[in-house]
Amino acid sequence: MTNFDRPLARRAVIKGAGLGLIAGTLADAISTQEAHADIPGSEIWSGEYWAKKGDVPLWMYRKRVGAPKQGEPSRPVVFFVHGSSVSSRAFDLNVPGHGDYSILNAFARAGFDCWTMDHENYGKSGRTSGNSDIASGVEDLKAAVEVVARETGEKKYHFVGESSGALRAGAFAMAAPERVDRLVFAAFTYKGEGSPTLAKRAEQLDYYRSHNMRKRDRDMIRSIATRDKPGTSDPAVVEALADVELQFGDQVPTGTYLDMTSNLPVVKPEKVLSPVLLVRGEYDGIATVADIEEFFNLLPNGDRQFIILPGTAHSVTLATNRGLFWHVARAFLTMPLPMAT
């Protein structure tokens, strides 16, 4: 299908998978069972859409169990926001013989209406002379949610963002809080203090300031999975990701790199009003535990969690232990409403 028109008193800091899995198990099991109850069949349907940000076409993609039908009950919408060096293909990767790597499929089967998009200058979306920084990504999301609202009838959505995608989602939550339900920030960074990855990246700061595009070849894509802790991702999966990404060329925008090396913090915790789950891989070099804890402690909503996943590095979505991320994210998004106290 192609459519061209169209504060709660709960606080949990969970370090390690053991407590994280226990914390989410009951809510996960109950809510997922309820989500499946109204879904006829089990075949996953997908559709393509286009949003417009001024004159810039933005490609959007949707997955859910069963094609949409007029008059049917709506399903909870979750919008996945990609990072600096890859497009939305990272959320729907097919790697035959190596297990399921599509988080869109996993969440569709759990009863969600899953959406994602290619930001300006990424994937199938329009090419411009801009650098596609975080502010630009917020405008992309503003355009995209109008399409989601039209197609689903829903006005508020969950957002799952990884790396600079988490920054985009957080900045959008500050700009349009009325559109945001629950937020999952994976591989997030607040101020970036003590980050070895950002310190290395900052060596190229003059380049990012003077160029709107940077090289993103196969070796660079491989480095996403190896720079922190080799062995936390399957090499075959990284090669599959490179195969699908390089069809769009070997250049990506510099905007998010510039923001992360010179403009942090771009997400102000006191202005993020929604419930938040912060997920960090044990070996992630993009942000220290102290950096994330500082952000966590300043969030105004008592409904918040901070989880550290063992055996994972920066990319939790495509890690060998990705199932841990899928579990804690799904449990957080399906958490029952607490009784008022």
Side-chain angles (χ1 to χ4, degrees):
M1 173 181 178
T2 303
N3 189 327
F4 291 92
D5 298 323
R6 6 200 250 142
L8 304 171
R10 180 187 299 271
R11 170 174 172 168
V13 180
I14 307 173
K15 296 185 178 181
L19 289 177
L21 296 178
I22 292 169
T25 299
L26 183 59
D28 185 37
I30 294 173
S31 299
T32 300
Q33 182 179 10
E34 291 173 349
H36 276 296
D38 296 325
I39 302 177
S42 59
E43 188 169 336
I44 295 179
W45 172 93
S46 64
E48 296 183 349
Y49 301 79
W50 290 90
K52 290 293 292 290
K53 182 180 66 172
D55 294 330
V56 183
L58 301 170
W59 184 80
M60 300 177 61
Y61 190 60
R62 179 187 189 186
K63 275 194 164 185
R64 45 170 278 164
V65 172
K69 295 180 180 178
Q70 189 172 7
E72 70 176 350
S74 61
R75 300 177 193 174
V77 173
V78 57
F79 200 108
F80 295 86
V81 190
H82 72 74
S84 299
S85 299
V86 296
S87 71
S88 61
R89 273 111 210 114
F91 299 128
D92 195 35
L93 198 60
N94 181 31
V95 194
H98 291 264
D100 190 356
Y101 275 86
S102 171
I103 193 172
L104 296 187
N105 286 347
F107 276 64
R109 293 188 187 105
F112 290 95
D113 193 341
C114 302
W115 291 76
T116 190
M117 73 182 303
D118 288 342
H119 286 281
E120 178 184 331
N121 289 323
Y122 288 87
K124 294 184 179 180
S125 287
R127 296 299 191 267
T128 72
S129 60
N131 70 353
S132 301
D133 59 5
I134 299 301
S136 172
V138 170
E139 296 305 310
D140 294 342
L141 290 171
K142 287 179 180 179
V145 296
E146 296 303 322
V147 176
V148 179
R150 184 189 68 224
E151 297 296 327
T152 69
E154 294 295 297
K155 302 299 182 184
K156 295 184 72 173
Y157 324 107
H158 305 309
F159 287 84
V160 176
E162 186 174 41
S163 193
S164 66
L167 296 178
R168 288 180 175 115
F172 175 78
M174 293 192 302
E178 74 282 357
R179 291 292 206 180
V180 181
D181 196 342
R182 301 176 79 83
L183 293 162
V184 177
F185 295 159
F188 178 81
T189 184
Y190 176 35
K191 295 180 179 178
E193 297 171 349
S195 165
T197 299
L198 295 183
K200 180 67 176 177
R201 197 175 289 174
E203 295 174 2
Q204 302 297 317
L205 184 54
D206 288 343
Y207 183 89
Y208 306 144
R209 284 174 169 156
S210 58
H211 296 76
N212 284 348
M213 301 294 287
R214 60 181 171 87
K215 185 95 167 179
R216 190 279 315 257
D217 57 10
R218 186 172 293 270
D219 283 342
M220 189 276 148
I221 295 173
R222 288 170 177 157
S223 75
I224 298 171
T226 61
R227 69 188 181 213
D228 296 327
K229 182 71 170 180
T232 53
S233 296
D234 184 341
V237 174
V238 182
E239 295 302 321
L241 177 61
D243 288 342
V244 297
E245 285 296 326
L246 291 175
Q247 66 180 305
F248 302 114
D250 64 354
Q251 303 283 318
V252 288
T254 58
T256 57
Y257 270 30
L258 178 60
D259 280 334
M260 295 173 77
T261 52
S262 65
N263 297 323
L264 291 177
V266 295
V267 180
K268 308 296 176 62
E270 64 275 9
K271 295 184 179 181
V272 179
L273 306 181
S274 298
V276 175
L277 167 63
L278 289 158
V279 181
R280 180 187 185 273
E282 178 184 6
Y283 303 108
D284 189 4
I286 202 77
T288 64
V289 172
D291 187 62
I292 304 303
E293 284 183 334
E294 182 178 355
F295 182 87
F296 176 87
N297 289 330
L298 292 171
L299 289 167
N301 196 318
D303 187 354
R304 60 190 188 270
Q305 298 181 23
F306 174 23
I307 296 180
I308 298 176
L309 300 181
T312 59
H314 182 64
S315 179
V316 297
T317 302
L318 296 177
T320 300
N321 289 324
R322 66 202 175 280
L324 298 178
F325 174 59
W326 295 4
H327 175 88
V328 298
R330 191 169 63 243
F332 182 73
L333 297 185
T334 57
M335 185 174 291
L337 290 174
M339 291 181 290
T341 57

